[in-house]
Amino acid sequence: MQKKFTVLGIETSCDETAAAVYQTKRGILSNTIYSQIDLHKNFGGVVPELASRSQIEKINPVVQQALDQAHITLDDVDVVAVTNKPGLPGSLLVGLCFAKSIAWAKNKNIIGVNHLEGHVYSAMIEHDIPFPHLCLTASGGHTSLYLIKNFGDYEVLGETLDDAAGEAFDKIARLMNLPYPGGPVIEKLAQEVDFKDYFNYPRGKGKTLNFSFSGLKTAVLYDLVDKNAYDMHNKMFLKDKDETLKKSVSSSLLVCIADIFEQKLTLALKQYPQAKAITFAGGVACNKYICNRLQSLASKNNLPFFTPSRQYCTDNGAMIAFVGHYKAQKGLFDCWDLDIE
Ligand code: KG4
Ligand code: ZN
């Protein structure tokens, strides 16, 4: 029989302060988040020192809000689950120290959760997904392909050898003076030209299940230089007023990344024909165009396709509470020497 747990999940691995409550049978009771996007916007990426300072300011109100929205107090919580790896050390430490303090003070269990495992199972918060299945996670910090055999039992089939897919969107957006984060802006611009592939950027050889996006970023950069749109010497975009160019680059980039995902998943399906479904998670899974492409691929292979709703794609506390919950079911509690990794 399933034991009943109320789990408070805390996520502070990067530039979001997030918390959520998950309860056996009832599922997610609350999910709150404070995003630092505005804080890092002018820098074109996350500034670690600013991120950890903001985490310290927001952790208390965000956790309190998660408890309030779930209509519970800390006394009702059985387990505090917290992201302890991987991430920015300063940011991770804020969540971990906070989680340990409240758990110790209130005599609760503590469970450390791998942020990537959070993304991997995030589609299961809202959907019943058969095992084994293939899971592609793509965000600003990671891009990996997994075979998910059960809760807590998965195999990494491939990962990025350099940049993450979201990082490619962010860095190329930055080249064109587009705001951070790049993914949503690039999707919007690409949509305006109906996702046409103008420049046919390189897709790579694709013989393994690993990813590589830094070559793509360089290819786009050199193509912009060739088009007299980028000054390498002064690191300046020269065609700020050229909306047509920005749209064509965005659209070509998006189609290229969707092609790469499709190609890797096709290869993975050949190697792992036992897969019963495909899931797609992480911040990049907010992208409707890529989701539609992967949905078609799954349909072609007679497989169901799942992606979490938006709030569970980008970093969130719900996925941490969810993983914490199944670890609690298995009795996988941590000791007070739990540390960041
Ligand atoms: O999961 P997430 O919130 O944080 C990390 O763990 O990195 O993902 C953020 C990443 C950013 O790189 C952002 O550009 C990308 O997800 N992203 C998108 C879209 N929305 C967010 N990429 C493509 N299309 C989108 N609509
Ligand atoms: Zn993430």
Side-chain angles (χ1 to χ4, degrees), residues 2 5 7 22 24 81 111 113-114 116-122 124 131 148 150-154 319-333:
Q2 222 188 7
F5 288 105
V7 182
Y22 186 95
T24 315
I111 293 179
V113 174
N114 180 332
L116 302 179
E117 195 170 325
H119 280 301
V120 159
Y121 291 94
S122 58
M124 300 198 75
F131 297 116
I148 315 298
N150 210 322
F151 289 110
D153 182 10
Y154 55 94
M319 66 185 193
I320 304 306
F322 184 76
V323 172
H325 180 260
Y326 70 66
K327 284 184 123 183
Q329 292 284 349
K330 295 178 181 190
L332 298 173
F333 302 106

Side-chain angles (χ1 to χ4, degrees), residues 115 119 139 142 315:
H115 177 85
H119 280 301
S139 73
H142 28 85
D315 288 351

Side-chain angles (χ1 to χ4, degrees), residues 94-251:
V94 175
L96 182 69
C97 293
F98 188 87
K100 274 172 141 179
S101 309
I102 56 174
W104 189 79
K106 290 280 185 182
N107 202 18
K108 309 295 181 187
N109 283 302
I110 188 145
I111 293 179
V113 174
N114 180 332
H115 177 85
L116 302 179
E117 195 170 325
H119 280 301
V120 159
Y121 291 94
S122 58
M124 300 198 75
I125 297 174
E126 302 154 291
H127 307 283
D128 259 334
I129 306 177
F131 297 116
H133 60 255
L134 288 173
C135 170
L136 172 65
T137 63
S139 73
H142 28 85
T143 300
S144 310
L145 194 54
Y146 302 84
L147 182 67
I148 315 298
K149 299 171 192 168
N150 210 322
F151 289 110
D153 182 10
Y154 55 94
E155 201 181 316
V156 182
L157 306 180
E159 54 199 341
T160 182
L161 304 172
D162 39 61
D163 290 355
E167 203 176 347
F169 283 121
D170 297 338
K171 286 181 171 169
I172 292 167
R174 195 176 173 186
L175 281 182
M176 297 190 288
N177 290 340
L178 296 172
Y180 172 83
V185 195
I186 285 182
E187 181 177 18
K188 194 169 161 279
L189 291 172
Q191 188 176 19
E192 286 172 30
V193 288
D194 286 331
F195 308 105
K196 245 179 89 183
D197 184 9
Y198 293 87
F199 304 136
N200 191 30
Y201 296 132
R203 269 83 170 140
K205 300 275 182 305
K207 292 209 176 75
T208 77
L209 293 176
N210 287 325
F211 300 86
S212 166
F213 292 102
S214 78
L216 173 58
K217 181 196 65 194
T218 312
V220 176
L221 172 65
Y222 283 121
D223 193 49
L224 286 175
V225 172
D226 275 354
K227 292 180 164 63
N228 291 324
Y230 196 84
D231 174 355
M232 283 279 260
H233 189 67
N234 294 306
K235 295 203 165 90
M236 252 173 66
F237 185 60
L238 304 169
K239 298 275 169 89
D240 253 340
K241 299 217 161 61
D242 192 343
E243 291 302 317
T244 310
L245 177 70
K246 286 191 242 177
K247 286 176 195 172
S248 338
V249 171
S250 298
S251 190

